[in-house]
């Protein structure tokens, strides 16, 4: 008669372990089109991690180089630069990459990106297993 209780206990533990595995939810992934022969563009998305994590790097077949950029103001001029150590993702908090702020920069884009295209972005995190997201090409929603 003890077997059913034991089986239930095991199920309970398995469920707990699944829930505890670090994961990141990605939504609203979008890359801007590359008109006029430009070979660089910005991508944006919202990331929510279940545990404190960091977005370490991004890669895509659509561009030779991808970097995580932050905006900063130096001498009154807005510039962007690669984020040292990646993007911090506090647990349970939606972290947005958006126009005018942090973004993913694709450089040396291999082919022009037009509205309606899709860009595969491979995201690497400190703790969470790598995730590939399909970003639509279009204009990001402005908040
Ligand atoms: Cu940039």
């Amino acid at each position: 008669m003890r077997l059913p209780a034991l089986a239930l206990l095991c199920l309970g533990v398995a469920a707990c372990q699944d829930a505890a595995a670090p994961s990141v939810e990605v939504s609203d992934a979008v890359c801007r089109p590359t008109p006029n022969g430009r070979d660089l563009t910005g991508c944006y998305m919202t990331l929510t991690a279940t545990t404190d994590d960091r977005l370490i790097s991004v890669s895509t077949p659509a561009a030779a180089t991808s970097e995580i950029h932050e905006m900063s103001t130096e001498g009154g001029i807005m510039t962007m630069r690669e984020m040292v150590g990646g993007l911090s993702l506090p647990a349970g908090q939606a972290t947005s990459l958006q126009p005018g702020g942090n973004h993913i920069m694709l450089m040396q884009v291999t082919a022009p990106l037009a509205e309606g295209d899709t860009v595969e972005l491979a995201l690497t995190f400190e703790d969470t297993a790598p995730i590939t997201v399909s970003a639509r090409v279009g204009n990001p929603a402005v908040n």
Side-chain angles (χ1 to χ4, degrees):
M1 293 309 289
R2 292 173 57 194
L3 194 58
L6 191 63
L8 276 176
L9 183 67
C10 289
L11 280 173
V13 169
C16 273
Q17 281 172 344
D18 278 348
S23 68
V24 175
E25 189 193 323
V26 181
S27 60
D28 302 324
V30 58
C31 295
R32 278 204 164 116
T34 55
N36 309 321
R38 292 169 74 231
D39 72 345
L40 78 169
T41 194
C43 298
Y44 312 94
M45 64 185 66
T46 299
L47 304 120
T48 309
T50 54
T51 56
D52 285 348
D53 208 338
R54 299 187 82 82
L55 176 63
I56 297 294
S57 67
V58 178
S59 68
T60 175
T65 308
S66 316
E67 292 182 351
I68 305 161
H69 278 186
E70 63 183 337
M71 303 299 293
S72 62
T73 308
E74 283 164 14
I77 300 166
M78 285 268 276
T79 59
M80 59 186 181
R81 63 180 172 205
E82 190 166 15
M83 229 178 219
V84 178
L87 173 70
S88 167
L89 302 172
Q93 194 176 313
T95 302
S96 289
L97 298 168
Q98 56 192 4
N102 302 331
H103 56 277
I104 293 165
M105 195 96 221
L106 305 188
M107 289 168 286
Q108 297 169 270
V109 173
T110 51
L113 300 176
E115 190 126 17
D117 289 350
T118 299
V119 174
E120 300 283 302
L121 298 173
L123 311 178
T124 307
F125 302 93
E126 197 165 71
D127 295 329
T128 296
I131 299 174
T132 299
V133 297
S134 294
R136 71 179 173 89
V137 176
N139 286 306
V142 178
N143 298 328

